[in-house]
Amino acid sequence: MSKTAYSEQEVNITNCDREPIHIIGKAQEHGVIVVCDLNSFNVSQCSENIENILGISHTEVLGKPLKQVLSKKVAKSFKKKFKNEDSLLPEKLKIGEQKFLCIPSISGEHLIIDVEPSGKSLDPVHFQEQLTKILTELDESESVNDMCQQAALLVKHLFDYDRIMIYKFDEEWNGEVVAEVKEPELDSWLGLHYPATDIPKPAREIFMKQGVRIISDVNYRASPINPEISPVTGRPLDISTSELRAVSPIHIEYLQNMKVGASLTAAIVLNGELWGLVACHHYSPKFINYHQRQSCLFLTQVFSNKLALKTTKTFLENTSKSDEVRKKLVLQITSIRSIEDALYRFDPKFTDLIECSGGALVMDGEIYLSGETPKKAELRQLCDEFLAEKEVYFSTKSLSAVYPKAAAFKNIASGILSVQISEQDANYIMWFRPEAKETVNWGGNPEKNGFVKDGIEYLTPRKSFERWTEKKNGVAKPWQDYDLEAVSSLRESIVHILVKQQKDKIDSLNGQLVEANKELETFSYSVSHDLRAPLRGIDGYARILKDHYMDRLDDYSQKAVNTIVRSASEMDTLIDDILSYSRVGQTDLAKQVLSMRQIVENALDAQNVTSNYPNTIIKLEEKLPKIVGDRRMIAQLVNNLISNALKYSGKKEQPVVEIGYYRKNDQTTYFIKDNGVGFDPKHKNKIFEVFSRVATEDFKGSGIGLSIAKKVVDKHKGELWVETTPGEGSCFYFSLPDIEE
């Protein structure tokens, strides 16, 4: 909204929920709004009716100190309390024979003072008696509606409006008159419903903030606040906390159409949300003073507290019943292997958890039905097209309103409450409620009415409030908080059971894996050890043949003997490698700080590089950092990687093996690089598997060396990886935790 004057023409049917009633810029006729700059305590704005009520021209008061406009006592009190950050309380003001009350509130950089007549106050003894009486009656009330009726009776008795109503909101902010006390000649509005547009969002928000509100004369002449724009901020003034704030023209016309002369409205707040209103109508002007309004606010707060106790008791009673069913269902789930069987084949069933006409389980693509439900094909479509896009929990009393295909089964399942068992799969539990065919009596046609001007449809209040009957279709009995709580508790229990079952299964598999690994290591050690005896016999007798009878054998036999000797040697190497691999798994780590330089030099000596690889150039980093690990295992790791690099680069014209390290993110990574044959990068992970070889037959090996290296690194909780290019060589990297310089 711009800084121009407020106009009802700016409120149209599409934006009535954004009507800026907090900056309406006018005051009701029975009092004066005086606005003060909190920095100077000079009057910056005031309503133009100040002359009629206080006898001072509004043009004369602007810019003057507050003490000159009201009184020194009032100004001093407000100024002192504001500077001391004390609560601002109303102050009395007397001008001539007239008595007023100055009611302060803060709005940003402004002090807003509502100056209104003192009026009559309630007799404190009478008020105490009535309060004691209502507290007793509220405690004895059997239902919420009985409580509402008792509260309406008390408000009628104390404030004597022609009609007192307790007005309750539903989840869509439509309202229903659930209690009423009225004068005999008036028609009853008890049970009538009113659409959400009758009390739009801005009005509801101000009710929450202010608590109680009066219109002393519906036909009053609003007095503009002058100047309209605050000289302090340059913006329209927010007067939502003002007791005298003028009323939306839309609402005034609404009340006039109802023939109402005055009104009082108090908010009923339950658990921090607007539950309903105490709505009082009088058919002639009626003013009740600030202290009476505060008494009404106090009564409403007492009623809200009693209402909270009543609803909490109802909630606990229902959740207790549901919890008994849930415990039995949990027992069935833990006793029966199949969750779906536990939920729907035995008593109690999941449909016994809350009030419903039927339910469905969707588990691993299968659908299980209980009670009155839509067809399986309809439910499968509902899950795939609608529920899959929703959150874990979804509920509605009118499914067809949000999922049109549900109109086909609205007589069975107009209401649905669903929960997704796991966020990772499409398993659901659903409860259904049938269409509740009912007749709703509205206080006039609930449809928005308007007139069109310049292509925009503007909102006009309904002119008729005659009983208007609507037959509601496709709407079920609404789900309550205790229904949602019961479903949530069941889901938590099921998820807990599933997680426990998965954990037990994983623990069992891990146990089996550990045992299998132990057996495998024992077996490999035993086999490798037992193979040595016959192998020694084969190797020994083959060498006797070679040393003593070779010249007596023909060429074919000589070749056979050489093959036996060579194969026995390869078999012996293979057995050594298998034993080494087995020992890595069976041996505990004996960590210590080791010289990486010394380990590398020992490995090069063991490979007899000078004799076996005379053409290979070794590039060794001078200052290799120390490493923490098991001496024997780290030596085996380095030896295997260096052996690998020497072997696969040995046939190059100028073979080079480089041994070094680099630092990154406080982590030392060692590398052993060669310029040998390399291999296809797609085998980068496969190369570390036992007996896996990706090189050609030109290079001898058991296929276990790199598997041992990987197992050593894993045992140290480190990392081992390789980068390679066919024909250009490979570079093996490894890093271990707890590296020290």
Side-chain angles (χ1 to χ4, degrees):
M1 180 179 176
S2 67
K3 295 178 182 179
T4 57
Y6 173 86
S7 168
E8 64 265 35
Q9 292 294 312
E10 294 173 341
V11 181
N12 60 55
I13 281 182
T14 60
N15 72 5
C16 63
D17 265 1
R18 298 190 298 274
E19 185 182 7
I21 56 178
H22 61 296
I23 54 170
I24 204 165
K26 296 179 182 179
Q28 292 189 53
E29 195 172 19
H30 66 270
V32 176
I33 295 178
V34 177
V35 184
C36 177
D37 180 354
L38 281 171
N39 294 313
S40 63
F41 269 79
N42 292 335
V43 174
S44 58
Q45 295 166 276
C46 73
S47 56
E48 293 180 0
N49 62 347
I50 191 170
E51 186 170 1
N52 297 333
I53 294 177
L54 301 184
I56 315 170
S57 171
H58 75 274
T59 57
E60 294 179 9
V61 303
L62 296 178
K64 285 190 175 182
L66 183 62
K67 62 184 179 180
Q68 294 181 20
V69 176
L70 298 179
S71 72
K72 291 182 179 179
K73 179 184 175 183
V74 170
K76 183 179 180 181
S77 174
F78 289 158
K79 189 172 184 179
K80 181 180 179 181
K81 288 180 179 178
F82 173 72
K83 288 187 175 180
N84 293 335
E85 298 184 354
D86 294 335
S87 297
L88 293 173
L89 300 175
E91 294 286 343
K92 294 178 181 179
L93 174 68
K94 187 174 182 181
I95 298 179
E97 296 300 316
Q98 288 186 299
K99 295 179 180 179
F100 297 93
L101 197 64
C102 300
I103 307 164
S105 61
I106 301 293
S107 176
E109 300 173 45
H110 309 87
L111 172 64
I112 297 176
I113 304 168
D114 296 315
V115 184
E116 64 173 44
S118 294
K120 296 180 181 179
S121 296
L122 294 173
D123 178 8
V125 175
H126 178 65
F127 180 77
Q128 180 66 40
E129 290 174 349
Q130 292 300 314
L131 180 60
T132 303
K133 180 175 180 292
I134 191 64
L135 287 174
T136 303
E137 291 173 346
L138 288 176
D139 287 335
E140 293 174 352
S141 299
E142 294 184 0
S143 68
V144 170
N145 282 1
D146 288 342
M147 288 178 61
C148 292
Q149 190 64 28
Q150 293 299 330
L153 281 168
L154 177 62
V155 175
K156 171 68 174 168
H157 188 77
L158 290 174
F159 304 111
D160 198 28
Y161 278 82
D162 292 333
R163 187 194 302 273
I164 312 294
M165 297 171 287
I166 304 294
Y167 185 86
K168 179 184 177 183
F169 292 110
D170 66 12
E171 65 273 16
E172 296 171 351
W173 297 109
N174 299 312
E176 178 187 1
V177 179
V178 295
E180 178 188 59
V181 181
K182 64 179 183 62
E183 294 298 317
E185 69 274 12
L186 298 175
D187 293 334
S188 175
W189 291 355
L190 184 64
L192 290 185
H193 292 71
Y194 295 87
T197 50
D198 279 18
I199 305 178
K201 185 178 179 181
R204 296 195 301 267
E205 289 176 346
I206 287 184
F207 281 136
M208 282 287 291
K209 183 186 297 186
Q210 198 168 22
V212 65
R213 173 99 163 113
I214 67 160
I215 303 173
S216 61
D217 185 355
V218 166
N219 299 303
Y220 76 97
R221 183 177 179 181
S223 178
I225 294 175
N226 195 302
E228 179 186 2
I229 303 302
S230 167
V232 178
T233 63
R235 296 189 300 272
L237 180 64
D238 182 347
I239 56 172
S240 55
T241 58
S242 169
E243 299 283 334
L244 289 169
R245 173 179 52 83
V247 186
S248 159
I250 296 288
H251 186 58
I252 288 294
E253 188 177 349
Y254 180 89
L255 293 174
Q256 288 172 339
N257 291 344
M258 297 175 78
K259 312 300 182 187
V260 173
S263 70
L264 178 145
T265 310
I268 302 173
V269 179
L270 180 64
N271 300 325
E273 295 185 357
L274 190 63
W275 181 90
L277 301 171
V278 177
C280 307
H281 287 175
H282 209 66
Y283 291 87
S284 60
K286 182 179 178 68
F287 170 76
I288 65 171
N289 71 6
Y290 174 78
H291 294 298
Q292 288 177 300
R293 299 197 299 272
Q294 290 301 298
S295 298
C296 181
L297 178 61
F298 175 70
L299 286 174
T300 305
Q301 290 170 343
V302 170
F303 172 75
S304 296
N305 291 336
K306 294 294 183 182
L307 181 63
L309 290 174
K310 177 70 73 174
T311 54
T312 300
K313 183 180 178 183
T314 302
F315 179 88
L316 292 174
E317 288 174 351
N318 282 276
T319 51
S320 178
K321 292 177 184 176
S322 298
D323 202 48
E324 289 300 314
V325 176
R326 181 190 63 82
K327 288 176 181 177
K328 293 177 182 178
L329 288 172
V330 168
L331 182 61
Q332 289 174 186
I333 294 171
T334 53
S335 305
I336 301 169
R337 180 171 295 181
S338 168
I339 289 182
E340 51 269 29
D341 285 349
L343 288 173
Y344 94 106
R345 286 194 185 278
F346 302 93
D347 288 325
K349 297 178 173 61
F350 73 97
T351 47
D352 296 321
L353 184 73
I354 58 176
E355 182 187 345
C356 66
S357 56
L361 299 175
V362 182
M363 304 287 289
D364 300 325
E366 295 294 326
I367 298 178
Y368 308 89
L369 305 178
S370 176
E372 293 291 321
T373 70
K375 297 174 183 177
K376 288 186 178 181
E378 293 171 327
L379 290 175
R380 199 176 300 278
Q381 195 173 28
L382 172 67
C383 291
D384 294 342
E385 297 180 5
F386 185 74
L387 292 180
E389 304 298 323
K390 300 300 176 184
E391 299 293 329
V392 172
Y393 298 95
F394 173 77
S395 65
T396 178
K397 66 179 182 179
S398 181
L399 182 58
S400 59
V402 291
Y403 178 65
K405 291 181 181 179
F409 48 82
K410 65 181 182 180
N411 59 320
I412 296 173
S414 283
I416 180 175
L417 197 171
S418 77
V419 59
Q420 193 172 354
I421 297 175
S422 172
E423 296 182 42
Q424 284 75 40
D425 55 40
N427 291 341
Y428 299 91
I429 306 179
M430 294 176 241
W431 292 263
F432 305 115
R433 283 180 178 171
E435 177 183 40
K437 294 181 180 178
E438 62 176 340
T439 299
V440 177
N441 293 312
W442 295 91
N445 189 328
E447 296 296 325
K448 288 183 176 181
N449 297 290
F451 65 91
V452 177
K453 180 180 178 182
D454 298 329
I456 299 175
E457 190 176 10
Y458 290 100
L459 182 67
T460 57
R462 285 181 286 113
K463 292 179 171 55
S464 172
F465 294 88
E466 295 294 326
R467 188 178 296 265
W468 192 87
T469 301
E470 177 189 21
K471 291 184 177 180
K472 299 190 76 173
N473 295 311
V475 179
K477 180 181 176 181
W479 306 100
Q480 302 297 328
D481 288 346
Y482 46 78
D483 296 322
L484 302 177
E485 179 68 21
V487 168
S488 175
S489 296
L490 178 62
R491 179 184 184 269
E492 287 180 10
S493 296
I494 292 174
V495 170
H496 177 75
I497 291 170
L498 289 174
V499 169
K500 186 178 184 304
Q501 288 177 348
Q502 290 171 353
K503 182 180 181 299
D504 291 344
K505 188 175 182 179
I506 290 170
D507 288 345
S508 176
L509 290 173
N510 280 340
Q512 294 174 29
L513 186 61
V514 169
E515 288 301 316
N517 193 46
K518 287 181 179 177
E519 290 176 6
L520 182 62
E521 290 175 346
T522 302
F523 175 76
S524 63
Y525 182 83
S526 176
V527 168
S528 301
H529 185 271
D530 293 345
L531 281 175
R532 284 199 181 279
L535 185 61
R536 289 194 187 99
I538 293 170
D539 183 62
Y541 283 109
R543 290 188 183 278
I544 290 172
L545 286 173
K546 184 176 181 179
D547 293 342
H548 300 285
Y549 302 99
M550 203 67 165
D551 56 344
R552 302 180 192 180
L553 301 175
D554 57 28
D555 291 343
Y556 179 81
S557 298
Q558 290 180 6
K559 186 176 181 181
V561 170
N562 286 328
T563 299
I564 292 171
V565 172
R566 186 178 68 253
S567 296
S569 177
E570 291 175 355
M571 185 66 176
D572 189 58
T573 301
L574 179 59
I575 290 172
D576 283 339
D577 288 344
I578 291 174
L579 285 172
S580 296
Y581 186 78
S582 176
R583 288 193 196 100
V584 171
Q586 293 177 325
T587 306
D588 292 332
L589 293 178
K591 283 190 176 185
Q592 55 184 301
V593 179
L594 306 171
S595 168
M596 191 62 175
R597 173 90 185 184
Q598 187 62 53
I599 289 174
V600 170
E601 289 177 349
N602 291 344
L604 292 172
D605 289 342
Q607 296 294 326
N608 198 2
V609 175
T610 305
S611 300
N612 295 332
Y613 302 98
N615 298 324
T616 300
I617 298 172
I618 305 295
K619 294 183 178 180
L620 176 59
E621 183 77 35
E622 281 294 325
K623 295 182 179 179
L624 285 175
K626 291 181 179 180
I627 189 168
V628 175
D630 184 279
R631 179 184 294 277
R632 187 182 60 79
M633 289 188 188
I634 299 299
Q636 197 170 21
L637 163 68
V638 173
N639 189 71
N640 285 3
L641 293 179
I642 290 177
S643 172
N644 211 57
L646 291 169
K647 178 168 63 176
Y648 289 110
S649 65
K651 295 184 179 182
K652 278 281 188 175
E653 187 174 336
Q654 291 184 326
V656 178
V657 172
E658 184 180 350
I659 304 165
Y661 78 100
Y662 66 83
R663 296 277 296 172
K664 186 176 181 181
N665 299 328
D666 295 327
Q667 176 73 56
T668 300
T669 297
Y670 301 92
F671 64 84
I672 298 173
K673 182 178 181 182
D674 66 71
N675 65 341
V677 296
F679 59 91
D680 191 331
K682 70 180 181 181
H683 299 307
K684 282 199 297 185
N685 294 322
K686 182 181 178 182
I687 198 172
F688 296 112
E689 296 175 5
V690 180
F691 302 125
S692 177
R693 301 186 72 237
V694 296
T696 65
E697 294 299 325
D698 296 338
F699 298 92
K700 296 180 181 181
S702 64
I704 297 180
L706 289 178
S707 302
I708 293 172
K710 182 72 165 67
K711 200 164 188 178
V712 167
V713 172
D714 289 345
K715 190 86 172 177
H716 284 78
K717 298 185 177 358
E719 290 184 85
L720 172 65
W721 69 98
V722 62
E723 298 296 337
T724 183
T725 303
E728 296 183 16
S730 303
C731 186
F732 286 83
Y733 301 88
F734 69 91
S735 62
L736 305 183
D738 302 321
I739 300 296
E740 295 184 359
E741 293 293 343

